Amino acid sequence: MAATPSVPELRRTRFARRLPVTLSELAGPAHGHVDLPLHLAWSGLTRFDLDQPRLRMSYYRIVLAEGQHDDLVRYLNHERLTAMWPVLRTLISRDIRDVWENAHAELKPGARAAA
């Protein structure tokens, strides 16, 4: 009989299923105002100015935590995500961080220095 997966394993599997295959799939906006749908921004702000660093960070945290695959590729921007990742990774859950870094080596700490 197979062992029952732990709660952290189940959470990580849920996040891993949503991931894009490559970061280049992330074709979301880099600037301007974006209105997130209620299935993503169900509590608090729904409109974000991506040119404001704090609002941009909140926007990325919400999309990473709540977004399905189609949301991730629609609302996240590859260049913005990789530029923000060193700080963003400290503001998101360990499960999300680990899943993204395991799937996309360029997000792992030290990856930019090695490149």
Side-chain angles (χ1 to χ4, degrees):
M1 188 160 119
T4 303
S6 68
V7 172
E9 289 171 328
L10 291 172
R11 278 195 312 260
R12 288 183 177 160
T13 299
R14 185 183 62 172
F15 287 119
R17 274 187 251 153
R18 303 173 183 182
L19 290 178
V21 174
T22 66
L23 292 181
S24 63
E25 288 182 60
L26 303 177
H31 300 281
H33 288 91
V34 180
D35 294 304
L36 288 178
L38 288 177
H39 74 272
L40 293 177
W42 45 268
S43 174
L45 285 176
T46 58
R47 184 176 186 117
F48 297 85
D49 180 351
L50 299 183
D51 296 313
Q52 298 293 320
R54 293 185 94 179
L55 290 175
R56 183 172 57 244
M57 197 67 70
S58 294
Y59 169 91
Y60 271 73
R61 288 178 66 196
I62 290 168
V63 176
L64 287 167
E66 304 297 334
Q68 297 299 315
H69 177 269
D70 291 348
D71 299 314
L72 298 173
V73 299
R74 178 178 181 184
Y75 293 107
L76 300 180
N77 178 278
H78 171 221
E79 290 82 17
R80 284 283 196 179
L81 178 72
T82 54
M84 293 169 53
W85 192 257
V87 173
L88 183 60
R89 71 183 303 277
T90 69
L91 302 173
I92 57 178
S93 76
R94 176 174 290 169
D95 294 327
I96 297 170
R97 181 184 66 231
D98 290 349
V99 165
W100 279 80
E101 289 179 354
N102 288 333
H104 304 291
E106 61 266 49
L107 295 178
K108 288 185 180 182
R112 291 185 133 204

